[in-house]
Amino acid sequence: MSDEPKRADVRMAIVEAAAELLRDVGPGAVTTRGVAERAGVQAPTIYRLFGDKDGLLEAVAEHVMTRFVADKAAGQAAAAAADADPLEDLRQSWRRQVEFSLANPAIFRLLSDPDRVLDSPAAQKGRQVLEARVHRLAATGRLRVPEAHAIDLIQAAGVGTIQTLLVTPRERRDPSLGDAMMDAVLARILTDAPAEEPDTPTAAAVALRALAPQIDVLSEGERRLLMEWMDRIAEAATRPR
């Protein structure tokens, strides 16, 4: 075996050992000695591979989040392939995110740090999965706001909901808070019309914007111009009146 595969195996063993300690005991248990013992390596190996404890924690957060996002992406692809209801798909994804974060509070806190999120491939992939779910919803004519605005609202509400639940003692947590917040966000971003029957110019513009890249009878330049026009109509709905 060459050095590189061996190095990758050792690194993964350390990350998984640290992830177990982080999940089962908490950040305080993720010490160099504790991780080294669980992974079956010498403490200097951790410093050589990760630099310091912060470097190890970042690697752990990325590893755990990457697995979770991969599962979400697979679920989103399956829902799209099965032509599942995009609204129910979004609701289920929201619930899974809240449940995951409550089960992994240390990971949530690490990845809710703005400086870490900006450089996190897992966090960026997670946003792309959310973008795909919102795009499917937009294509049905149900969005009353631009896709980007809807995504920002969902993410902001999700972070706030999770933080509120985490700082509340377990016995006092409101189990309905997550669904209630999702309902509030949906009331802000959705129209009242059935799917595929936009009831406002804004909803129609958002739907056409979502479908514009698929309109083959237009040239690339014409499609870009159409998308620009639809963006203007949709963005007007988010401006203060």
Side-chain angles (χ1 to χ4, degrees):
M1 177 181 290
S2 68
D3 290 341
E4 281 306 312
K6 184 176 180 181
R7 178 187 176 93
D9 290 343
V10 172
R11 190 179 193 280
M12 181 58 66
I14 293 171
V15 168
E16 291 184 343
E20 291 172 2
L21 287 170
L22 189 64
R23 181 191 65 236
D24 298 340
V25 188
V30 186
T31 63
T32 303
R33 177 179 295 179
V35 174
E37 288 179 355
R38 179 164 293 207
V41 301
Q42 298 296 315
T45 303
I46 295 178
Y47 290 110
R48 186 170 67 251
L49 292 175
F50 301 96
D52 54 21
K53 180 179 176 179
D54 283 344
L56 175 58
L57 285 173
E58 287 189 10
V60 169
E62 193 69 20
H63 172 68
V64 175
M65 194 63 182
T66 295
R67 283 186 172 177
F68 175 67
V69 170
D71 288 342
K72 288 182 67 176
Q76 190 276 327
D83 199 24
D85 176 22
L87 180 54
E88 183 59 25
D89 182 38
L90 180 62
R91 283 185 180 277
Q92 292 299 327
S93 175
W94 168 279
R95 291 179 183 131
R96 287 192 296 271
Q97 181 68 59
V98 173
E99 290 169 359
F100 170 83
S101 298
L102 293 181
N104 299 272
I107 300 297
F108 169 77
R109 291 188 178 100
L110 283 169
L111 288 178
S112 61
D113 179 342
D115 292 332
R116 283 192 170 97
V117 169
L118 290 174
D119 296 324
S120 167
Q124 293 167 11
K125 177 61 177 178
R127 184 178 174 92
Q128 291 170 5
V129 173
L130 176 58
E131 288 172 351
R133 285 192 160 96
V134 172
H135 182 75
R136 288 185 64 228
L137 195 57
T140 68
R142 292 297 309 276
L143 281 189
R144 69 166 79 238
V145 299
E147 291 180 44
H149 188 62
I151 292 163
D152 287 343
L153 285 173
I154 292 168
Q155 286 198 314
V159 170
T161 298
I162 294 162
Q163 286 181 334
T164 298
L165 290 170
L166 285 176
V167 300
T168 304
R170 288 180 181 273
E171 68 275 9
R172 291 174 47 202
R173 288 179 185 173
D174 178 359
S176 68
L177 181 63
D179 284 347
M181 183 60 76
M182 181 83 269
D183 288 341
V185 173
L186 292 176
R188 174 67 183 88
I189 68 175
L190 296 183
T191 70
D192 296 326
E196 301 181 7
E197 294 183 16
D199 63 351
T200 68
T202 301
V206 172
L208 184 54
R209 171 64 176 81
L211 297 171
Q214 305 172 29
I215 303 177
D216 295 333
V217 295
L218 300 179
S219 68
E220 180 62 29
E222 290 170 334
R223 285 195 293 271
R224 286 198 298 268
L225 183 58
L226 175 61
M227 289 187 287
E228 180 182 343
W229 288 342
M230 297 305 101
D231 283 339
R232 287 189 197 174
I233 295 171
E235 288 168 3
T238 65
R239 297 173 190 154
R241 296 183 181 277

PDB file of all heavy atoms in Angstrom, residues 6 50-51 61 81 123 143 145 149 152 171 188-189 202 213-214 222 227 231:
ATOM      1  N   LYS A   6      -2.771   4.979   2.772  1.00  0.00           N
ATOM      2  CA  LYS A   6      -2.629   4.741   4.203  1.00  0.00           C
ATOM      3  C   LYS A   6      -2.904   6.012   4.988  1.00  0.00           C
ATOM      4  O   LYS A   6      -3.580   5.990   6.017  1.00  0.00           O
ATOM      5  CB  LYS A   6      -1.223   4.223   4.506  1.00  0.00           C
ATOM      6  CG  LYS A   6      -1.028   3.863   5.970  1.00  0.00           C
ATOM      7  CD  LYS A   6       0.352   3.275   6.200  1.00  0.00           C
ATOM      8  CE  LYS A   6       0.538   2.923   7.680  1.00  0.00           C
ATOM      9  NZ  LYS A   6       1.887   2.355   7.940  1.00  0.00           N
ATOM     10  N   PHE A  50      -3.951  17.447  11.107  1.00  0.00           N
ATOM     11  CA  PHE A  50      -4.987  18.480  11.247  1.00  0.00           C
ATOM     12  C   PHE A  50      -4.476  19.802  11.822  1.00  0.00           C
ATOM     13  O   PHE A  50      -5.223  20.776  11.839  1.00  0.00           O
ATOM     14  CB  PHE A  50      -6.121  17.952  12.146  1.00  0.00           C
ATOM     15  CG  PHE A  50      -6.764  16.707  11.625  1.00  0.00           C
ATOM     16  CD1 PHE A  50      -6.369  15.456  12.074  1.00  0.00           C
ATOM     17  CD2 PHE A  50      -7.750  16.772  10.647  1.00  0.00           C
ATOM     18  CE1 PHE A  50      -6.952  14.297  11.583  1.00  0.00           C
ATOM     19  CE2 PHE A  50      -8.339  15.621  10.143  1.00  0.00           C
ATOM     20  CZ  PHE A  50      -7.932  14.381  10.613  1.00  0.00           C
ATOM     21  N   GLY A  51      -3.254  19.820  12.260  1.00  0.00           N
ATOM     22  CA  GLY A  51      -2.700  21.070  12.770  1.00  0.00           C
ATOM     23  C   GLY A  51      -2.983  21.277  14.244  1.00  0.00           C
ATOM     24  O   GLY A  51      -2.076  21.380  15.056  1.00  0.00           O
ATOM     25  N   ALA A  61     -16.812  18.289  11.356  1.00  0.00           N
ATOM     26  CA  ALA A  61     -18.057  18.940  10.955  1.00  0.00           C
ATOM     27  C   ALA A  61     -18.309  18.754   9.466  1.00  0.00           C
ATOM     28  O   ALA A  61     -19.427  18.443   9.029  1.00  0.00           O
ATOM     29  CB  ALA A  61     -18.009  20.430  11.300  1.00  0.00           C
ATOM     30  N   ALA A  81     -37.343  12.447  -9.585  1.00  0.00           N
ATOM     31  CA  ALA A  81     -37.533  11.357 -10.549  1.00  0.00           C
ATOM     32  C   ALA A  81     -38.921  10.757 -10.440  1.00  0.00           C
ATOM     33  O   ALA A  81     -39.518  10.354 -11.440  1.00  0.00           O
ATOM     34  CB  ALA A  81     -36.473  10.278 -10.335  1.00  0.00           C
ATOM     35  N   ALA A 123     -21.708  22.794   3.271  1.00  0.00           N
ATOM     36  CA  ALA A 123     -22.737  23.820   3.428  1.00  0.00           C
ATOM     37  C   ALA A 123     -23.179  24.351   2.066  1.00  0.00           C
ATOM     38  O   ALA A 123     -24.374  24.592   1.831  1.00  0.00           O
ATOM     39  CB  ALA A 123     -22.212  24.960   4.293  1.00  0.00           C
ATOM     40  N   LEU A 143     -44.752  29.858  -6.272  1.00  0.00           N
ATOM     41  CA  LEU A 143     -43.978  30.875  -5.553  1.00  0.00           C
ATOM     42  C   LEU A 143     -44.477  32.276  -5.883  1.00  0.00           C
ATOM     43  O   LEU A 143     -44.663  32.616  -7.051  1.00  0.00           O
ATOM     44  CB  LEU A 143     -42.496  30.780  -5.903  1.00  0.00           C
ATOM     45  CG  LEU A 143     -41.655  29.698  -5.225  1.00  0.00           C
ATOM     46  CD1 LEU A 143     -40.180  29.926  -5.551  1.00  0.00           C
ATOM     47  CD2 LEU A 143     -41.850  29.686  -3.721  1.00  0.00           C
ATOM     48  N   VAL A 145     -42.612  34.851  -4.644  1.00  0.00           N
ATOM     49  CA  VAL A 145     -41.382  35.632  -4.520  1.00  0.00           C
ATOM     50  C   VAL A 145     -40.302  34.963  -5.353  1.00  0.00           C
ATOM     51  O   VAL A 145     -40.426  33.789  -5.719  1.00  0.00           O
ATOM     52  CB  VAL A 145     -40.923  35.717  -3.047  1.00  0.00           C
ATOM     53  CG1 VAL A 145     -41.982  36.406  -2.186  1.00  0.00           C
ATOM     54  CG2 VAL A 145     -40.600  34.340  -2.489  1.00  0.00           C
ATOM     55  N   HIS A 149     -34.968  34.674  -2.949  1.00  0.00           N
ATOM     56  CA  HIS A 149     -35.568  35.247  -1.739  1.00  0.00           C
ATOM     57  C   HIS A 149     -36.217  34.151  -0.900  1.00  0.00           C
ATOM     58  O   HIS A 149     -36.084  34.142   0.339  1.00  0.00           O
ATOM     59  CB  HIS A 149     -36.604  36.301  -2.132  1.00  0.00           C
ATOM     60  CG  HIS A 149     -37.149  37.089  -0.984  1.00  0.00           C
ATOM     61  ND1 HIS A 149     -36.358  37.891  -0.191  1.00  0.00           N
ATOM     62  CD2 HIS A 149     -38.406  37.196  -0.480  1.00  0.00           C
ATOM     63  CE1 HIS A 149     -37.103  38.471   0.748  1.00  0.00           C
ATOM     64  NE2 HIS A 149     -38.347  38.056   0.596  1.00  0.00           N
ATOM     65  N   ASP A 152     -33.467  32.226   0.927  1.00  0.00           N
ATOM     66  CA  ASP A 152     -32.936  32.984   2.062  1.00  0.00           C
ATOM     67  C   ASP A 152     -33.898  32.943   3.253  1.00  0.00           C
ATOM     68  O   ASP A 152     -33.469  32.790   4.402  1.00  0.00           O
ATOM     69  CB  ASP A 152     -32.680  34.431   1.661  1.00  0.00           C
ATOM     70  CG  ASP A 152     -31.461  34.588   0.761  1.00  0.00           C
ATOM     71  OD1 ASP A 152     -30.632  33.646   0.714  1.00  0.00           O
ATOM     72  OD2 ASP A 152     -31.330  35.647   0.115  1.00  0.00           O
ATOM     73  N   GLU A 171     -37.060  19.477  28.182  1.00  0.00           N
ATOM     74  CA  GLU A 171     -38.408  19.262  28.696  1.00  0.00           C
ATOM     75  C   GLU A 171     -39.355  20.417  28.383  1.00  0.00           C
ATOM     76  O   GLU A 171     -40.572  20.275  28.480  1.00  0.00           O
ATOM     77  CB  GLU A 171     -38.361  19.014  30.214  1.00  0.00           C
ATOM     78  CG  GLU A 171     -37.937  20.215  31.051  1.00  0.00           C
ATOM     79  CD  GLU A 171     -36.415  20.357  31.166  1.00  0.00           C
ATOM     80  OE1 GLU A 171     -35.692  19.623  30.447  1.00  0.00           O
ATOM     81  OE2 GLU A 171     -35.957  21.196  31.970  1.00  0.00           O
ATOM     82  N   ARG A 188     -45.640  33.101   3.494  1.00  0.00           N
ATOM     83  CA  ARG A 188     -45.003  34.293   2.912  1.00  0.00           C
ATOM     84  C   ARG A 188     -44.565  34.069   1.471  1.00  0.00           C
ATOM     85  O   ARG A 188     -44.607  34.990   0.652  1.00  0.00           O
ATOM     86  CB  ARG A 188     -43.785  34.678   3.758  1.00  0.00           C
ATOM     87  CG  ARG A 188     -42.944  35.824   3.197  1.00  0.00           C
ATOM     88  CD  ARG A 188     -43.695  37.141   3.216  1.00  0.00           C
ATOM     89  NE  ARG A 188     -42.926  38.202   2.611  1.00  0.00           N
ATOM     90  CZ  ARG A 188     -42.914  38.513   1.318  1.00  0.00           C
ATOM     91  NH1 ARG A 188     -43.650  37.783   0.470  1.00  0.00           N
ATOM     92  NH2 ARG A 188     -42.194  39.508   0.867  1.00  0.00           N
ATOM     93  N   ILE A 189     -44.165  32.835   1.121  1.00  0.00           N
ATOM     94  CA  ILE A 189     -43.566  32.634  -0.200  1.00  0.00           C
ATOM     95  C   ILE A 189     -44.495  31.983  -1.209  1.00  0.00           C
ATOM     96  O   ILE A 189     -44.212  32.011  -2.413  1.00  0.00           O
ATOM     97  CB  ILE A 189     -42.271  31.797  -0.097  1.00  0.00           C
ATOM     98  CG1 ILE A 189     -42.566  30.352   0.308  1.00  0.00           C
ATOM     99  CG2 ILE A 189     -41.285  32.455   0.855  1.00  0.00           C
ATOM    100  CD1 ILE A 189     -41.332  29.451   0.319  1.00  0.00           C
ATOM    101  N   THR A 202     -46.717  37.955 -10.400  1.00  0.00           N
ATOM    102  CA  THR A 202     -45.437  37.582  -9.803  1.00  0.00           C
ATOM    103  C   THR A 202     -45.249  36.073  -9.835  1.00  0.00           C
ATOM    104  O   THR A 202     -44.185  35.569 -10.211  1.00  0.00           O
ATOM    105  CB  THR A 202     -45.339  38.090  -8.357  1.00  0.00           C
ATOM    106  OG1 THR A 202     -45.472  39.512  -8.346  1.00  0.00           O
ATOM    107  CG2 THR A 202     -44.010  37.696  -7.743  1.00  0.00           C
ATOM    108  N   PRO A 213     -34.998  28.265 -19.065  1.00  0.00           N
ATOM    109  CA  PRO A 213     -33.854  27.570 -19.681  1.00  0.00           C
ATOM    110  C   PRO A 213     -34.257  26.394 -20.561  1.00  0.00           C
ATOM    111  O   PRO A 213     -33.464  25.922 -21.377  1.00  0.00           O
ATOM    112  CB  PRO A 213     -33.053  27.088 -18.456  1.00  0.00           C
ATOM    113  CG  PRO A 213     -33.417  28.039 -17.368  1.00  0.00           C
ATOM    114  CD  PRO A 213     -34.875  28.344 -17.608  1.00  0.00           C
ATOM    115  N   GLN A 214     -35.481  25.903 -20.425  1.00  0.00           N
ATOM    116  CA  GLN A 214     -35.937  24.753 -21.206  1.00  0.00           C
ATOM    117  C   GLN A 214     -36.664  25.143 -22.495  1.00  0.00           C
ATOM    118  O   GLN A 214     -37.072  24.278 -23.260  1.00  0.00           O
ATOM    119  CB  GLN A 214     -36.883  23.900 -20.354  1.00  0.00           C
ATOM    120  CG  GLN A 214     -36.288  23.445 -19.026  1.00  0.00           C
ATOM    121  CD  GLN A 214     -37.325  22.787 -18.141  1.00  0.00           C
ATOM    122  OE1 GLN A 214     -38.289  22.194 -18.617  1.00  0.00           O
ATOM    123  NE2 GLN A 214     -37.137  22.905 -16.832  1.00  0.00           N
ATOM    124  N   GLU A 222     -32.059  35.267 -26.244  1.00  0.00           N
ATOM    125  CA  GLU A 222     -33.469  35.543 -25.961  1.00  0.00           C
ATOM    126  C   GLU A 222     -33.887  34.951 -24.613  1.00  0.00           C
ATOM    127  O   GLU A 222     -34.657  35.557 -23.868  1.00  0.00           O
ATOM    128  CB  GLU A 222     -34.337  34.991 -27.088  1.00  0.00           C
ATOM    129  CG  GLU A 222     -34.196  35.772 -28.387  1.00  0.00           C
ATOM    130  CD  GLU A 222     -34.864  35.079 -29.572  1.00  0.00           C
ATOM    131  OE1 GLU A 222     -34.999  33.826 -29.538  1.00  0.00           O
ATOM    132  OE2 GLU A 222     -35.230  35.779 -30.529  1.00  0.00           O
ATOM    133  N   MET A 227     -35.339  35.766 -18.967  1.00  0.00           N
ATOM    134  CA  MET A 227     -35.080  35.548 -17.546  1.00  0.00           C
ATOM    135  C   MET A 227     -34.848  36.876 -16.822  1.00  0.00           C
ATOM    136  O   MET A 227     -35.285  37.056 -15.683  1.00  0.00           O
ATOM    137  CB  MET A 227     -33.886  34.606 -17.361  1.00  0.00           C
ATOM    138  CG  MET A 227     -34.201  33.162 -17.751  1.00  0.00           C
ATOM    139  SD  MET A 227     -32.902  31.964 -17.357  1.00  0.00           S
ATOM    140  CE  MET A 227     -31.674  32.357 -18.590  1.00  0.00           C
ATOM    141  N   ASP A 231     -37.097  38.165 -13.779  1.00  0.00           N
ATOM    142  CA  ASP A 231     -36.456  38.513 -12.508  1.00  0.00           C
ATOM    143  C   ASP A 231     -36.918  39.886 -12.027  1.00  0.00           C
ATOM    144  O   ASP A 231     -37.166  40.094 -10.834  1.00  0.00           O
ATOM    145  CB  ASP A 231     -34.933  38.506 -12.648  1.00  0.00           C
ATOM    146  CG  ASP A 231     -34.350  37.096 -12.655  1.00  0.00           C
ATOM    147  OD1 ASP A 231     -35.038  36.176 -12.166  1.00  0.00           O
ATOM    148  OD2 ASP A 231     -33.216  36.930 -13.141  1.00  0.00           O
TER     149      ASP A 231
END
